[in-house]
């Protein structure tokens, strides 16, 4: 960890859309400022992600001052969406958890529906401090999260991606590799570690901000979606199933919870403050309890 540092930072204003990579980002208790405060829902209120709609990989969201977003996608004129007034809310089903959110203007619903050719609505999380708690089995009192799959931030390392790509190159679907880091949609990418070093982390600092490592991140079909073409393949899930299994889950990266607000920057040193003995090795049961992915 002596040479570990932040290689890149990634913010996705709308869940499942393309995001952007700032040189620095404010860390709020529920995640990076502006990250996944918006999401699409179907006509039943269920969150829509690249699991159901891989085409979302082609849509982009630019974060605007005040929390609004500018949406763009192939075949669509760009649309600016302001933060809606919190006069009324609608229930949102986030993987079985009910969360209240504020609907965007009708123009946003029409834009997203036209792009996906499916009936969807765009909603905004107005108050992440109160709307959605982190899974209490793995949370400290009062911890909350935005529309991220389960935890405020996801960290991944370049060394582990390189190791994974080496394993993919040895497998039946070698032609699909090497995979880029954006398949895993992390918030923070760290360079300068050993492969799978993050399996040992319990508490780390990134620059001035200290994070608790909540659990390993379970990966889903979103990782098989080429983020440039929206075409699905078989990797990395085939290789993760052989080498990075935690019970029924396939793991890559670690979920983080900030212990205090602050700012992180590209080039910040990453230091290991505390570690645990449980490791995630090739094959077998790895990690600590159930794991959650990222969309």
């Amino acid at each position: 960890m002596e040479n570990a540092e932040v290689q890149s930072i990634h913010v996705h204003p709308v869940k499942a859309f393309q995001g952007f990579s700032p040189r620095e980002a404010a860390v709020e208790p529920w995640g990076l400022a502006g990250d996944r405060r918006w999401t699409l829902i179907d006509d039943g209120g269920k969150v829509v992600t690249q699991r159901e709609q891989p085409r979302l990989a082609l849509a982009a969201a630019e974060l605007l001052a005040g929390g609004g977003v500018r949406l763009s996608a192939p075949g669509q004129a760009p649309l600016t969406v302001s933060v809606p007034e919190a006069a009324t809310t609608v229930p949102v089903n986030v993987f079985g958890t009910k969360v209240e959110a504020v609907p965007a203007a009708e123009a946003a619903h029409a834009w997203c529906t036209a792009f996906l050719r499916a009936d969807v609505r765009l909603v905004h999380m107005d108050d992440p401090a109160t709307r959605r708690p982190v899974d209490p089995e793995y949370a400290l009192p009062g911890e909350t999260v935005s529309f991220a799959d389960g935890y405020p931030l996801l960290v991944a390392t370049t060394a582990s991606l390189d190791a994974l790509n080496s394993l993919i190159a040895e497998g039946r679907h070698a032609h699909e590799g090497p995979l880029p880091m954006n398949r895993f949609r992390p918030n923070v990418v760290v360079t300068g570690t050993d492969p799978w070093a993050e399996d040992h982390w319990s508490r780390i600092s990134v620059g001035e901000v200290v994070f608790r490592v909540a659990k390993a991140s379970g990966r889903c079909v979103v990782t098989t979606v080429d983020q440039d073409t929206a075409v699905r393949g078989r990797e990395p899930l085939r290789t993760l199933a052989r080498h990075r299994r935690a019970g029924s889950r396939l793991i890559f990266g670690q979920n983080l919870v900030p212990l205090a607000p602050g700012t992180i920057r590209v080039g910040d040193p990453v230091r290991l403050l505390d570690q645990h003995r449980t490791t995630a090795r090739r094959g077998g049961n790895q990690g600590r309890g159930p794991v959650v992915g990222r969309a």
Side-chain angles (χ1 to χ4, degrees), residues 198-278:
E198 63 273 23
D199 292 340
H200 301 272
W201 297 350
S202 178
R203 193 165 54 97
I204 63 171
S205 64
V206 179
E208 66 185 44
V209 185
V210 177
F211 296 89
R212 180 174 66 83
V213 182
K215 59 162 53 170
S217 179
R219 312 316 310 212
C220 68
V221 70
V222 170
T223 60
T224 69
V225 178
D226 186 317
Q227 297 295 297
D228 296 322
T229 66
V231 174
R232 277 187 178 150
R234 296 180 181 273
E235 293 292 0
L237 294 186
R238 289 297 181 93
T239 297
L240 291 175
R242 295 196 308 272
H243 300 284
R244 299 285 298 171
R245 182 180 290 278
S248 62
R249 304 296 182 94
L250 313 179
I251 64 174
F252 185 90
Q254 296 286 334
N255 290 296
L256 304 180
V257 180
L259 298 184
T263 299
I264 60 174
R265 300 172 176 86
V266 172
D268 272 351
V270 178
R271 298 186 174 91
L272 178 61
L273 304 180
D274 194 14
Q275 62 183 336
H276 57 82
R277 295 181 179 179
T278 303

Side-chain angles (χ1 to χ4, degrees), residues 29-275:
W30 41 83
L32 298 183
D35 187 62
R36 296 171 170 92
R37 290 286 297 275
W38 300 80
T39 192
L40 294 181
I41 60 174
D42 63 19
D43 56 5
K46 183 179 178 181
V47 163
V48 177
T49 74
Q50 291 182 31
R51 295 167 177 83
E52 304 83 21
Q53 292 281 358
R55 184 172 165 80
L56 285 173
L58 305 179
E62 175 188 353
L63 186 64
L64 304 178
V69 288
R70 184 175 185 269
L71 307 180
S72 59
Q76 299 281 110
L79 179 70
T80 296
V81 183
S82 300
V83 172
E85 295 291 334
T88 59
T89 62
V90 296
V92 176
N93 181 346
V94 187
F95 309 123
T97 300
K98 181 181 176 181
V99 179
E100 294 295 321
V102 184
E106 285 300 322
H109 305 332
W111 190 97
C112 295
T113 294
F115 172 63
L116 287 183
R117 306 182 188 95
D119 186 12
V120 293
R121 291 185 292 169
L122 182 67
V123 297
H124 179 257
M125 184 178 288
D126 59 329
D127 186 8
T130 63
R131 290 296 187 194
R132 185 182 175 213
V134 174
D135 182 349
E137 187 174 354
Y138 299 95
L140 299 178
E143 290 180 342
T144 61
V145 62
S146 65
F147 283 123
D149 276 10
Y151 295 86
L153 286 90
L154 175 70
V155 63
T157 69
T158 58
S160 294
L161 179 62
D162 290 344
L164 177 61
N165 277 324
S166 293
L167 294 171
I168 290 173
E170 299 169 359
R172 295 179 57 186
H173 304 284
H175 61 282
E176 293 189 21
L179 302 182
M181 186 63 85
N182 66 5
R183 288 292 188 95
F184 301 95
R185 301 176 63 83
N187 294 112
V188 180
V189 178
V190 174
T191 189
T193 71
D194 292 333
W196 317 120
E198 63 273 23
D199 292 340
H200 301 272
W201 297 350
S202 178
R203 193 165 54 97
I204 63 171
S205 64
V206 179
E208 66 185 44
V209 185
V210 177
F211 296 89
R212 180 174 66 83
V213 182
K215 59 162 53 170
S217 179
R219 312 316 310 212
C220 68
V221 70
V222 170
T223 60
T224 69
V225 178
D226 186 317
Q227 297 295 297
D228 296 322
T229 66
V231 174
R232 277 187 178 150
R234 296 180 181 273
E235 293 292 0
L237 294 186
R238 289 297 181 93
T239 297
L240 291 175
R242 295 196 308 272
H243 300 284
R244 299 285 298 171
R245 182 180 290 278
S248 62
R249 304 296 182 94
L250 313 179
I251 64 174
F252 185 90
Q254 296 286 334
N255 290 296
L256 304 180
V257 180
L259 298 184
T263 299
I264 60 174
R265 300 172 176 86
V266 172
D268 272 351
V270 178
R271 298 186 174 91
L272 178 61
L273 304 180
D274 194 14
Q275 62 183 336

